[in-house]
Amino acid sequence: MTEKTDVVLIGAGIMSATLGALLRQLQPDWSITMFERLDAAAPESSDPWNNAGTGHSALCELNYTPRTADGGVDVSKAVDINERFQVSRQFWSYAVENGVLGTPSEFINPIPHVSFTHGADGAEYLRKRYEALVRHPLFEGMEFIDSPEEFTRRLPLMAKGRDFSEPVALNWSAKGTDINFGALTKQLLAYLGRSGVDIGFGTEVRNLSKQSDGSWDVKVRNTRTGSTRRVNAKFVFVGAGGYALPLLQKAGISEIAGFAGFPVSGQFLRCTNRELITRHEAKVYGMAAVGAPPMSVPHLDTRVIDGKRGLLFGPYAGWTPKFLKDGKYADLFKSIRPGNLTPMLGVGVTELGLVKYLVSELLKSPAGKVNAMEEFIPRADGHDWELITAGQRVQIIRRKGVGGVLELGTAVITASDGSIAGLLGASPGASTCVSAMLDVLQRCFPREYSDWTPQLKAMVPSLGVKLSENQALYHEVWDWSNKALGLTENTPEAELAQS
């Protein structure tokens, strides 16, 4: 017997949880079924130890503000990403005020976001970046710091033992936050469960087949008992992380043709010395080495997980053909199709820098990993750190001309009839989950979307407006979201006042 449901969500991560919560608010009469192959919520990329928790808002990530040919700085990508992050903040604020989410400090906390360079050239770049960003409303309040004394006051762990004869510079933003996307996802899933959504853990989607009426038959298998069932859905969303690509391939939609995936794993050094952890409170992002890909940007990252402060440094890239941390070694090879083989081979030729970087990372010894941290912590001691394996990321390979191109962002893939959609890629990922899922709603439910717009504007007051072009509205929603989420700007002056 085939069961019936209006919506099937595949994967119990932040994307599916966000889309489910939006639909529950907009269309409470629709039936929703969620399937997760593992036995826990947010077990892969949404897990707090599997991502940096920056809540990518482009306040500190230098790969979003590249240099231009004339020596300037292009901030257009940073502004766009920050705009999308503001959408997420607004929805989370609405969700807290309306009982969808619980205690906000369980998933979001104020932490300064800091860009860091050393050397005269790096300092000049940060000065130009600051001058280009600070005049935008979304980045107002950013500071440029090149004083060794101020550097030492704000970042004592990074200052100890540093030779300040080489110039150092910071872009400091007190508006940053640390986000535990695992806790956020679990709160959203708890709401979905309370509201009647059928959530099946330990249930793997094995196949997707289009029916003559435009609906989808979803074949699933219980990973514990081996029993199978079929569920027929009017709409399917594939939010399965790295497995989104093979599942969309199984669905056979033409829109996925030419797409391939390049899996990259990551490792971090996690601090085990509580004294060091208490001496650093910031997310500090540096610059990728010359020739290294943006995914290699080093960062010293304060985390707040389960109410406890932590400290990470990384990433150190690795490689495995798995598409998920808990995936299978055959994942990459099973994803190869005649339509995506040429793009994959083309990227293999054009991305030699990435290949070289991955090889060097794989050959790096434990001592070499600690030595790489000395740019941030000059007197780093390996005994204070443990190596952990973080989440698996599948970067997008897209057909371009006769070859292919590697994309380091995210992409929403939808069938032409809007009956199925999925999310490919990684960073900025989770932090832009709400804007990505609003994109899914608009593309897959165009008739309903116009009716939903008033309710959506209650959830996201800036819907359809660029906050970077409307300073008054930005201040209004920023103050509202700060209050709803219990956030205060983490300035050095505020810290001194609290001490």
Side-chain angles (χ1 to χ4, degrees), residues 89-142:
R89 276 183 55 122
Q90 291 172 65
F91 175 67
W92 299 336
S93 301
Y94 165 88
V96 167
E97 291 184 342
N98 288 272
V100 174
L101 292 173
T103 306
S105 62
E106 293 179 2
F107 66 86
I108 187 167
N109 287 276
I111 295 290
H113 284 200
V114 184
S115 305
F116 161 62
T117 63
H118 54 86
D121 182 64
E124 181 60 21
Y125 161 67
L126 277 197
R127 183 183 295 278
K128 291 181 178 179
R129 178 182 182 269
Y130 159 77
E131 291 170 349
L133 284 175
V134 74
R135 62 174 178 261
H136 282 272
L138 303 182
F139 297 87
E140 62 186 14
M142 178 179 284

Side-chain angles (χ1 to χ4, degrees), residues 172-194:
W172 185 285
S173 178
K175 293 184 175 182
T177 50
D178 174 75
I179 301 174
N180 181 336
F181 285 104
L184 174 59
T185 302
K186 289 174 183 177
Q187 286 197 18
L188 290 171
L189 293 179
Y191 160 72
L192 293 179
R194 293 194 305 270

Side-chain angles (χ1 to χ4, degrees), residues 115-363:
S115 305
F116 161 62
T117 63
H118 54 86
D121 182 64
E124 181 60 21
Y125 161 67
L126 277 197
R127 183 183 295 278
K128 291 181 178 179
R129 178 182 182 269
Y130 159 77
E131 291 170 349
L133 284 175
V134 74
R135 62 174 178 261
H136 282 272
L138 303 182
F139 297 87
E140 62 186 14
M142 178 179 284
E143 299 173 80
F144 173 77
I145 298 167
D146 60 357
S147 158
E149 292 77 19
E150 191 63 17
F151 184 105
T152 302
R153 185 169 80 90
R154 301 199 189 196
L155 300 171
L157 181 61
M158 292 179 60
K160 186 175 182 180
R162 182 172 298 277
D163 180 5
F164 283 105
S165 64
E166 180 185 46
V168 294
L170 305 173
N171 286 167
W172 185 285
S173 178
K175 293 184 175 182
T177 50
D178 174 75
I179 301 174
N180 181 336
F181 285 104
L184 174 59
T185 302
K186 289 174 183 177
Q187 286 197 18
L188 290 171
L189 293 179
Y191 160 72
L192 293 179
R194 293 194 305 270
S195 65
V197 172
D198 179 12
I199 304 175
F201 292 104
T203 307
E204 182 178 21
V205 174
R206 304 289 290 177
N207 200 23
L208 295 157
S209 55
K210 186 75 173 288
Q211 304 303 297
S212 58
D213 64 354
S215 64
W216 289 88
D217 270 5
V218 183
K219 181 181 179 181
V220 300
R221 182 179 69 90
N222 186 300
T223 59
R224 294 179 293 275
T225 67
S227 61
T228 61
R229 56 192 272 221
R230 289 183 182 273
V231 177
N232 179 266
K234 298 173 185 176
F235 172 74
V236 174
F237 174 71
V238 185
Y243 271 16
L245 173 63
L247 285 172
L248 290 171
Q249 288 176 331
K250 286 183 178 181
I253 60 174
S254 59
E255 290 78 6
I256 201 63
F259 279 91
F262 185 84
V264 179
S265 61
Q267 293 181 319
F268 284 89
L269 287 172
R270 180 167 59 188
C271 189
T272 58
N273 185 328
R274 297 306 305 177
E275 192 268 334
L276 294 185
I277 294 170
T278 60
R279 288 170 54 201
H280 183 85
E281 187 173 2
K283 293 180 178 293
V284 183
Y285 274 57
M287 298 186 74
V290 176
M295 69 184 74
S296 68
V297 172
H299 46 97
L300 184 63
D301 196 339
T302 293
R303 301 300 323 273
V304 182
I305 297 175
D306 298 329
K308 190 175 181 180
R309 285 261 300 275
L311 187 62
L312 294 178
F313 179 81
Y316 303 96
W319 191 84
T320 166
K322 293 181 180 182
F323 275 5
L324 289 173
K325 190 175 179 179
D326 190 57
K328 300 175 182 177
Y329 287 103
D331 288 344
L332 174 61
F333 308 105
K334 286 184 176 181
S335 73
I336 298 174
R337 301 285 190 276
N340 66 16
L341 181 58
T342 299
M344 291 179 73
L345 294 175
V347 166
V349 173
T350 59
E351 296 290 340
L352 292 178
L354 173 59
V355 174
K356 181 180 178 182
Y357 163 74
L358 289 175
V359 171
S360 68
E361 288 287 284
L362 290 170
L363 295 176

Side-chain angles (χ1 to χ4, degrees), residues 43-124:
E44 286 280 347
S45 296
S46 300
D47 181 88
W49 291 117
N50 287 346
N51 63 70
T54 310
H56 286 275
S57 48
L59 294 172
C60 60
E61 304 92 332
L62 297 178
N63 53 305
Y64 297 147
T65 52
R67 302 182 200 228
T68 58
D70 63 0
V73 178
D74 180 3
V75 300
S76 57
K77 187 172 184 179
V79 173
D80 175 65
I81 289 174
N82 195 291
E83 286 271 12
R84 290 190 279 157
F85 179 65
Q86 301 303 325
V87 171
S88 294
R89 276 183 55 122
Q90 291 172 65
F91 175 67
W92 299 336
S93 301
Y94 165 88
V96 167
E97 291 184 342
N98 288 272
V100 174
L101 292 173
T103 306
S105 62
E106 293 179 2
F107 66 86
I108 187 167
N109 287 276
I111 295 290
H113 284 200
V114 184
S115 305
F116 161 62
T117 63
H118 54 86
D121 182 64
E124 181 60 21

